[in-house]
Amino acid sequence: QVQLVESGGGLVQAGGSLRLSCAASGRTFSMYAMGWFRQAPGKEREFVAAISWGARSTSYADSVKGRFTISRDSARNTVYLQMNRLKPEDTAVYYCAAASSYNELAAFLRADYWGHGTQVTVSS
């Protein structure tokens, strides 16, 4: 079992930055690929970014490439999402996810565990 708790969301002006954190419980954190997803009001949940268990591979949605960076700290059992140059269309609830398969996670085919989400609101 892996439990995920997100933090770091909030209200920010367009052009600003936020860093989301996802703290994972369990000693097997390093064995999971980790990802971030988001869901805006009235829209389906969508993939944002993913990182492989050894942090050798990362992938991003086209809409966030060059602005967002995913990273992980296995010593702290934490995955981060650094979000720069935020836009109003980035407003959403952001969810952390863990999966045994990086490829399936990045393709949004499968996630084994989900966090409860953290709200990000970007004002224009």
Side-chain angles (χ1 to χ4, degrees):
Q1 285 284 343
V2 176
Q3 292 185 328
L4 306 173
V5 179
E6 302 96 334
S7 62
L11 174 64
V12 64
Q13 289 188 333
S17 298
L18 282 175
R19 187 176 80 157
L20 305 183
S21 299
C22 173
S25 66
R27 291 178 291 179
T28 58
F29 169 77
S30 61
M31 298 175 62
Y32 285 89
M34 301 296 296
W36 288 95
F37 296 77
R38 67 186 182 186
Q39 187 165 16
K43 295 187 177 181
E44 294 185 351
R45 192 170 298 188
E46 64 177 3
F47 169 76
V48 175
I51 187 166
S52 62
W53 66 270
R56 291 182 179 180
S57 299
T58 57
S59 61
Y60 297 90
D62 288 343
S63 59
V64 306
K65 278 181 183 176
R67 300 188 298 122
F68 291 10
T69 302
I70 189 170
S71 62
R72 66 189 297 161
D73 184 340
S74 292
R76 290 183 167 84
N77 280 8
T78 301
V79 62
Y80 304 98
L81 186 68
Q82 178 66 44
M83 305 186 295
N84 298 328
R85 303 199 310 274
L86 282 160
K87 304 175 181 179
E89 51 263 44
D90 294 319
T91 295
V93 177
Y94 283 71
Y95 297 91
C96 177
S100 55
S101 168
Y102 167 74
N103 290 332
E104 289 183 345
L105 183 66
F108 202 3
L109 294 176
R110 174 179 172 178
D112 297 310
Y113 302 99
W114 290 95
H116 292 294
T118 184
Q119 176 70 46
V120 171
T121 303
V122 184
S123 63
S124 57

